[in-house]
Amino acid sequence: MRRSLVVLSLALLGATFALPAAAQWKWRGTNGQIQYSDLPPPPGVADRDILQRPGNTALRGAPVAAAAAASAASAPLLNPKAQEPELEAKRKKAEQEQAEKQKADEQRIAAAKADNCKRAREQMRSLESGMRMARVNEKGEREILDDKMREDEMKRARDMVASDCAK
């Protein structure tokens, strides 16, 4: 009794796992390869090329009215030519939006570089003029630039000019 209950349970469990596999379509594609799917084949596939339909695994290749009706009903949804213009339009719109965003980012970066270049050149002119300059240090104190500090500031300004003003 116990043994038959275990065998029955295993058989039921095996059948449960086999159910999704039974709902498979199998057909021969245009290039001769066997295709498997849980959706019906595309509308261009001939009935003789459909090797298996869901629910008629014993009747391989035989037309079944329910399967044919399901295939015909879903054909407009699966027709790639009917969906292609919509998908193509969405893809083009997304590409255009991305191109516009990239162009806006490039323009923003170019404007920031132009502003940095202008400021760096003004700083270079001020430093090269030799006039007395001061800055505020980390403690908040004002300090006059000596020759070493001026040279360091000029080097930093030259680097900025070289990186942002290069065209």
Side-chain angles (χ1 to χ4, degrees), residues 44-66:
V45 176
D47 254 357
R48 62 174 163 43
D49 289 335
I50 299 175
L51 305 174
Q52 179 180 344
R53 291 179 168 89
N56 73 333
T57 55
L59 304 171
R60 295 185 190 274
V64 174

Side-chain angles (χ1 to χ4, degrees), residues 61-150:
V64 174
S71 176
S74 64
L77 298 175
L78 297 176
N79 187 356
K81 292 180 182 175
Q83 292 178 351
E84 196 170 293
E86 295 172 6
L87 293 176
E88 188 69 21
K90 286 181 182 179
R91 185 185 59 77
K92 283 184 180 180
K93 184 178 178 184
E95 286 177 358
Q96 183 180 12
E97 288 174 354
Q98 186 171 356
E100 289 173 358
K101 182 180 176 184
Q102 186 176 4
K103 186 176 180 181
D105 287 345
E106 289 173 358
Q107 289 175 345
R108 182 180 47 80
I109 291 170
K113 279 190 168 192
D115 186 49
N116 287 344
C117 176
K118 179 183 170 193
R119 289 174 187 248
R121 285 188 174 161
E122 289 173 0
Q123 179 73 4
M124 283 287 299
R125 277 193 291 273
S126 296
L127 291 167
E128 289 172 346
S129 71
M131 70 178 181
R132 194 174 204 178
M133 297 183 75
R135 68 177 176 191
V136 178
N137 63 13
E138 301 85 32
K139 297 177 184 176
E141 300 169 339
R142 185 177 164 160
E143 57 185 17
I144 306 289
L145 295 182
D146 61 8
D147 289 340
K148 170 128 176 50
M149 290 175 166
R150 182 180 296 271

